[in-house]
Amino acid sequence: MTIIEAASQSRTFARAWGDLVDGFGKRELWLFLGWQDIKQKYRRSVLGPFWITIATGTTAVAMGLLYSKLFKLELSEHLPYVTMGLIIWNMINASILEGSEVFIANEGLIKQLPTPLSVHVYRLVWRQMILFAHNIVIFVIIAIIYPKPWSWADLTVIPALVLIMLNC
């Protein structure tokens, strides 16, 4: 690698880092836009974003019942794991699908509003966090119905969620 290539790569990295920092500084904008996306998407629905929550809960319970019968597992032990796995998988799946076209979907805003490009990525992650918060209600309900003894190891879910959000 030549000195010129190394310098151009470091400039590229510096520009990317600067865009991430500048975009995070505009958090009022992407927080507002992400919230508006949720409101806009479910504006005409009576149940709003909880429609997806009901569908996710129904799927989790159906899968939990089916797998517990097929594999002869205790439902009270198996259902919380299926539910949490499905909720996290839905978040990762939606982030990948929407992330692949985040700049295409926001083309008009990118051309009209001189903001860092990372604003649109932060907006997407914020929107996914809001939907995750709606869906985690399912897990809380199932954890109340099927209580299990909690341990300190269960708190590892917090850094795990942070890592998932950083990857999104």
Side-chain angles (χ1 to χ4, degrees):
M1 180 182 312
T2 66
I3 295 174
I4 295 171
E5 289 174 345
S8 68
Q9 286 179 355
S10 66
R11 275 187 270 145
T12 303
F13 180 77
R15 286 179 54 204
W17 183 256
D19 187 82
L20 287 171
V21 170
D22 292 344
F24 190 77
K26 305 229 185 249
R27 65 185 147 271
E28 293 88 13
L29 176 62
W30 54 263
L31 288 171
F32 175 77
L33 288 174
W35 190 255
Q36 289 298 70
D37 288 345
I38 297 291
K39 287 171 63 176
Q40 181 76 17
K41 187 174 184 179
Y42 301 109
R43 180 178 43 168
R44 295 181 186 161
S45 172
V46 175
L47 295 174
F50 292 105
W51 182 250
I52 290 178
T53 304
I54 293 167
T56 303
T58 305
T59 304
V61 169
M63 286 175 58
L65 287 169
L66 177 69
Y67 291 152
S68 68
K69 294 295 181 192
L70 280 176
F71 300 120
K72 296 178 178 45
L73 299 169
E74 186 66 35
L75 182 65
S76 62
E77 293 177 14
H78 186 66
L79 187 59
Y81 291 109
V82 169
T83 304
M84 184 57 81
L86 185 65
I87 292 169
I88 290 175
W89 171 250
N90 284 344
M91 179 182 62
I92 292 170
N93 185 37
S95 296
I96 291 171
L97 290 175
E98 291 181 30
S100 66
E101 54 188 36
V102 70
F103 299 121
I104 296 168
N106 292 300
E107 175 190 9
L109 268 176
I110 291 171
K111 288 180 178 177
Q112 293 177 6
L113 189 63
T115 60
L117 293 176
S118 60
V119 164
H120 306 290
V121 176
Y122 290 134
R123 172 185 179 184
L124 167 70
V125 173
W126 172 241
R127 185 172 59 237
Q128 292 307 317
M129 287 175 60
I130 294 170
L131 291 174
F132 176 79
H134 282 119
N135 288 335
I136 202 66
V137 170
I138 303 164
F139 179 76
V140 171
I141 292 170
I142 289 177
I144 290 170
I145 294 171
Y146 298 112
K148 77 171 195 102
W150 295 95
S151 69
W152 287 104
D154 293 330
L155 291 178
T156 58
V157 73
I158 296 169
L161 287 174
V162 170
L163 283 174
I164 289 171
M165 285 298 140
L166 286 173
N167 280 309
C168 289

